[in-house]
């Protein structure tokens, strides 16, 4: 249990990381409080895993200050409270799932009960199998169980559901949901933003070595989401266009659709002809679409910079 | 403590009980060589010379067995753990790397003792070699110490960047080392420069020590012990240097 609620779980101060000439992280700052569920999002190679590896002490920062539970990374004193599911799966040659779980549970002072661990990662049916003979999805689940063996307060999950089938994914996220309710602090990286909806309390988007967004999902939607308005009307396209001169308006078989970042304003503009419209719907962008737009934006932005030079 | 015992149990399972390579290379091969060479070489010997050769070659094959398992089994285990990300995982758990390595070394000492016991039993049954319990115990205790620098060399081998190079390197170390330190054939049958190199190697010194135990000679052979200690220290220093320079280069 975390006694001090104001304690900081993770702190990064001006942390930079270079691999040779390649600058992956540029003076990033981050403070994570107990109970936060952080979704760390970015394209391949953005540096998500680098951040996790820095926090675990598997990599050293080029400059800046990294602290975990108020200490430098990889201190024996806090490893009891830490769990990590890294990108690559963990198994052991010639050793059964049951044996490996028993071994790793013995590393911790207060491990999760063995049966709980099996249920948590849905491993009951494969516990007698040799761990390195498991399928990719099963190994992923085993890796999750190993990360959870010590009942950690702070959990790192690096692309946890890669290789899992749909059922396993659902099972997995429902377990994360439970952990959130228990007040665990979790940092999770993922490719699919949609999976994180309803799970994370805070979203960080890593682009070009810095956090281009830091806030809640609702804030992200408010800031970046476009909405799609659709309606039916017998009016000709040019007529509707008169009311929405700057909208990206499309029409096919009297079905109109338009994308806008301000749906309220668009509706106000349509007010005079509202009686001639029917079946009006307003649909917000999916998180994946927002993420797609966001990355495209910065790409075109950087290209613009290059042209300016 | 329980975590160390559990780690030992797991290591015994994967390194000894479920490891065909161990039975074949560390037990089968030295026994096979022993039987073959004691048959081939004693042809023209009188009974006394033959008995002497049985003992001397038992010493050589004991050290050969230690060399094979200490390099191959140690480096293969560590390479497997690296490939299967167990080493990285252990680094983030409270089980320290120090305890991880010492549990492997302890398991290896047990494994080596079993292999030597099997070899001794074959020598006693087939060639009527007479060994007292004291001699067997002393030889196993002595080889446990002598295996340390060889195991550290096995750890060093596993640290090579790519895992396939590490396996190849293990082969490149074991067989030349066995030949040059006079484990397969007497050192005197090798060219002079090889003998000079051979006499520097820990396996040569271990062989000298075990032969003395088998021949019931009472002198300890301090130069042999110094050599084994010196190799252990030197190889540990190399490992520490390599680990630190890798950490630095990565910043």
């Amino acid at each position: 249990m975390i006694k001090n609620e104001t304690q900081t779980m993770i702190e990064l101060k001006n942390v930079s990381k270079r691999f040779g000439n390649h600058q992956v992280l540029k003076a990033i700052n981050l403070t994570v409080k107990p109970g936060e569920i952080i979704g760390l999002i970015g394209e391949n190679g953005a540096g998500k895993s680098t951040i996790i590896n820095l926090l675990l002490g598997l990599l050293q920062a080029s400059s800046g200050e990294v602290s975990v539970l108020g200490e430098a990374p990889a201190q024996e004193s806090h490893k009891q409270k830490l769990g990590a599911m890294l990108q690559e799966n963990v198994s052991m040659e010639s050793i059964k799932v049951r044996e490996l779980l028993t071994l790793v549970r013995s590393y911790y002072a207060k491990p999760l009960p063995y049966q709980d661990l099996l249920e948590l990662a849905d491993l009951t049916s494969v516990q007698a199998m040799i761990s390195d003979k498991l399928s990719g999805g099963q190994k992923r689940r085993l890796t999750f169980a190993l990360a959870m063996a010590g009942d950690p307060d702070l959990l790192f999950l690096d692309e946890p559901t890669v290789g899992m089938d749909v059922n396993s994914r659902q099972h997995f996220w429902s377990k994360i949901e439970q952990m959130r309710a228990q007040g665990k602090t979790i940092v999770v990286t993922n490719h699919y933003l949609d999976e994180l909806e309803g799970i994370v309390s805070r979203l960080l988007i890593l682009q070009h070595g810095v956090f281009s967004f830091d806030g809640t999902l609702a804030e992200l939607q408010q800031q970046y989401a476009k909405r799609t308005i659709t309606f039916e009307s017998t009016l000709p396209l040019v007529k509707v266009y008169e009311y929405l001169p700057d909208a990206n308006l499309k029409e096919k078989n009297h079905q109109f659709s338009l994308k806008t970042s301000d749906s309220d304003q668009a509706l106000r503009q349509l007010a005079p002809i509202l009686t001639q419209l029917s079946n009006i719907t307003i649909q917000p962008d999916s998180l994946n679409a927002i993420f797609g737009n966001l990355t495209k934006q910065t790409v075109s932005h950087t290209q613009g910079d290059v042209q300016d030079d | 403590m329980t975590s160390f015992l559990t780690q030992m149990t797991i290591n015994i399972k994967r390194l000894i009980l479920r490891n065909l390579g161990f039975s074949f290379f560390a037990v089968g091969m030295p026994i096979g060589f022993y039987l073959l060479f004691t048959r081939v070489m004693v042809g023209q010997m009188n009974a006394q010379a033959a008995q002497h050769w049985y003992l001397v070659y038992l010493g050589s094959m004991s050290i050969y067995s230690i060399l094979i398992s200490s390099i191959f089994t140690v480096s293969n285990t560590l390479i497997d753990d690296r490939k299967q990300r167990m080493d990285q995982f252990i680094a983030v758990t409270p089980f320290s790397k120090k305890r991880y390595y010492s549990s492997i070394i302890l398991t290896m000492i047990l494994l080596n003792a079993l292999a030597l016991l099997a070899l001794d039993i074959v020598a006693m049954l087939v060639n009527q070699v007479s060994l007292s319990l004291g001699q067997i115990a002393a030889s196993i205790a002595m080889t446990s110490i002598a295996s340390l620098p060889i195991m550290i060399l096995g750890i060093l081998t596993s640290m090579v960047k790519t895992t396939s190079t590490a396996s190849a390197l293990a082969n490149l170390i074991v067989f030349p080392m066995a030949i040059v330190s006079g484990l397969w054939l007497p050192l005197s049958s090798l060219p002079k420069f090889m003998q000079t190199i051979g006499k520097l190697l820990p396996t040569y010194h271990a062989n000298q020590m075990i032969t003395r135990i088998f021949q019931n000679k009472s002198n300890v052979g301090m130069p042999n012990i110094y050599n084994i200690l010196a190799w252990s220290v030197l190889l540990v220093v190399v490992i520490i240097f390599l680990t630190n320079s890798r950490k630095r280069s990565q910043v």
Side-chain angles (χ1 to χ4, degrees), chain A:
Chain A
M1 275 319 295
I2 302 138
K3 287 171 202 119
N4 186 355
E5 287 298 318
T6 55
Q7 183 196 5
T8 305
M9 302 300 274
I10 290 172
E11 188 146 38
L12 298 177
K13 278 187 197 158
N14 290 316
V15 171
S16 296
K17 179 65 188 173
R18 255 187 335 269
F19 292 106
N21 290 327
H22 182 47
Q23 179 105 32
V24 181
L25 300 175
K26 297 172 191 161
I28 58 166
N29 288 291
L30 173 65
T31 306
V32 177
K33 298 273 176 223
E36 280 195 283
I37 312 288
I38 306 282
L40 191 53
I41 303 294
E43 294 183 299
N44 285 332
K48 306 182 296 278
S49 301
T50 304
I51 292 180
I52 288 186
N53 288 333
L54 286 171
L55 290 165
L56 291 169
L58 295 172
L59 286 174
Q60 317 289 320
S62 305
S63 64
E65 226 178 277
V66 180
S67 88
V68 176
L69 297 162
E71 300 173 308
Q75 298 303 304
E76 298 302 323
S77 43
H78 70 233
K79 281 182 175 177
Q80 287 282 354
K81 298 176 194 158
L82 220 94
M85 181 178 181
L86 297 176
Q87 239 177 56
E88 273 114 350
N89 290 329
V90 180
S91 61
M92 200 187 252
E93 189 82 17
S94 313
I95 292 301
K96 291 174 186 162
V97 170
R98 184 195 302 123
E99 293 164 339
L100 190 52
L101 288 174
T102 308
L103 172 69
V104 173
R105 284 184 67 248
S106 79
Y107 292 169
Y108 294 92
K110 286 176 194 146
L112 272 187
Y114 177 71
Q115 288 301 331
D116 291 12
L117 216 48
L118 281 186
E119 200 272 325
L120 190 64
D122 192 17
L123 289 170
T124 313
S125 59
V126 296
Q127 51 175 325
M129 280 176 72
I130 298 286
S131 63
D132 63 311
K133 300 278 189 284
L134 296 176
S135 74
Q138 290 167 334
K139 270 191 190 165
R140 200 73 196 126
R141 271 150 44 206
L142 172 62
T143 307
F144 174 50
L146 295 173
M148 288 304 298
D151 193 16
D153 292 333
L154 175 58
L155 181 63
F156 296 97
L157 302 167
D158 199 352
E159 293 183 18
T161 57
V162 169
M164 285 188 197
D165 58 31
V166 179
N167 288 336
S168 300
R169 272 167 200 254
Q170 277 174 355
H171 181 85
F172 174 84
W173 291 117
S174 73
K175 293 298 163 188
I176 300 298
E177 187 94 55
Q178 285 177 17
M179 281 179 230
R180 188 182 57 160
Q182 289 164 13
K184 308 262 187 205
T185 309
I186 304 176
V187 177
V188 52
T189 79
N190 210 27
H191 274 310
Y192 316 106
L193 249 171
D194 286 3
E195 280 191 347
L196 299 180
E197 195 166 9
I199 306 275
V200 300
S201 60
R202 184 174 161 200
L203 198 67
L204 294 164
I205 297 178
L206 191 60
Q207 276 182 305
H208 312 293
V210 292
F211 292 126
S212 59
F213 178 83
D214 179 354
T216 63
L217 280 172
E219 284 167 349
L220 179 75
Q221 265 162 336
Q222 230 164 31
Q223 226 171 305
Y224 294 100
K226 287 201 161 75
R227 277 156 218 268
T228 305
I229 301 177
T230 62
F231 53 84
E232 285 169 30
S233 176
T234 49
L235 291 169
L237 179 63
V238 278
K239 184 73 186 166
V240 181
Y241 197 74
E242 276 175 28
Y243 295 91
L244 291 165
D246 29 60
N248 177 12
L249 188 65
K250 284 177 190 142
E251 186 259 354
K252 200 180 179 190
N253 299 331
H254 308 299
Q255 290 280 344
F256 288 78
S257 79
L258 69 109
K259 260 193 178 308
T260 172
S261 47
D262 190 348
S263 52
D264 297 344
Q265 177 59 25
L267 279 183
R268 263 178 238 120
Q269 286 173 289
L270 285 171
I273 52 168
L274 213 49
T275 49
Q276 284 156 285
L277 312 181
S278 59
N279 286 330
I280 303 171
T281 66
I282 303 170
Q283 190 83 45
D285 267 358
S286 74
L287 286 169
N288 279 342
I290 299 173
F291 181 58
N293 289 338
L294 203 65
T295 37
K296 258 182 262 156
Q297 265 177 28
T298 32
V299 168
S300 57
H301 178 70
T302 23
Q303 278 168 350
D305 284 351
V306 174
Q307 280 159 5
D308 287 346
D309 282 344

Side-chain angles (χ1 to χ4, degrees), chain B residues 3-87:
Chain B
S3 61
F4 193 80
L5 288 179
T6 317
Q7 186 77 44
M8 283 292 295
T9 318
I10 293 283
N11 284 347
I12 289 168
K13 279 180 183 159
R14 63 186 183 138
L15 268 61
I16 303 177
L17 303 178
R18 294 177 195 162
N19 184 0
L20 268 179
F22 158 71
S23 338
F24 182 74
F25 286 108
V27 183
M29 243 166 94
I31 289 178
F33 271 124
Y34 181 70
L35 292 175
L36 182 70
F37 275 74
T38 49
R39 283 286 157 279
V40 172
M41 302 288 277
V42 294
Q44 305 91 343
M45 289 183 193
N46 61 35
Q48 203 191 347
Q51 213 55 43
H52 176 74
W53 175 246
Y54 291 156
L55 267 184
V56 169
Y57 208 63
L58 179 61
S60 296
M61 282 303 108
S62 301
I63 304 303
Y64 178 57
S65 165
I66 302 283
L67 173 64
I68 286 188
S69 51
S70 300
I71 302 253
F72 281 142
T73 314
V74 168
S75 67
N76 283 344
T77 304
L78 297 180
I79 289 166
D80 282 342
D81 281 354
R82 211 168 102 194
K83 271 197 222 157
Q84 299 179 17
R85 301 288 161 172
M86 200 60 212
D87 66 335

Side-chain angles (χ1 to χ4, degrees), chain B residues 152-246:
Chain B
I152 299 167
L153 189 59
I155 294 176
L156 194 59
T157 313
S158 76
M159 289 173 70
V160 176
K161 273 242 161 80
T162 61
T163 49
S164 52
T165 331
S167 312
L169 185 64
N171 279 294
L172 279 177
I173 290 172
V174 167
F175 297 111
M177 203 164 153
I179 295 170
V180 173
S181 48
L183 299 181
W184 282 0
L185 292 166
L187 202 63
S188 53
S189 62
L190 297 178
K192 203 83 203 147
F193 80 97
M194 278 197 184
Q195 293 188 27
T196 317
I197 299 170
K199 283 177 182 166
L200 291 173
L201 298 176
T203 34
Y204 166 80
H205 291 269
N207 196 13
Q208 290 229 309
M209 281 170 41
I210 201 169
T211 308
R212 267 202 308 278
I213 291 172
F214 284 161
Q215 293 177 341
N216 255 333
K217 289 185 180 156
S218 54
N219 59 325
V220 182
M222 288 316 280
N224 302 139
I225 293 179
Y226 291 147
N227 175 281
I228 284 162
L229 282 180
W231 273 104
S232 305
V233 172
L234 177 76
L235 291 169
V236 167
V237 168
V238 173
I239 287 180
I240 292 173
F241 175 78
L242 259 180
T243 318
N244 286 345
S245 73
R246 270 183 198 178

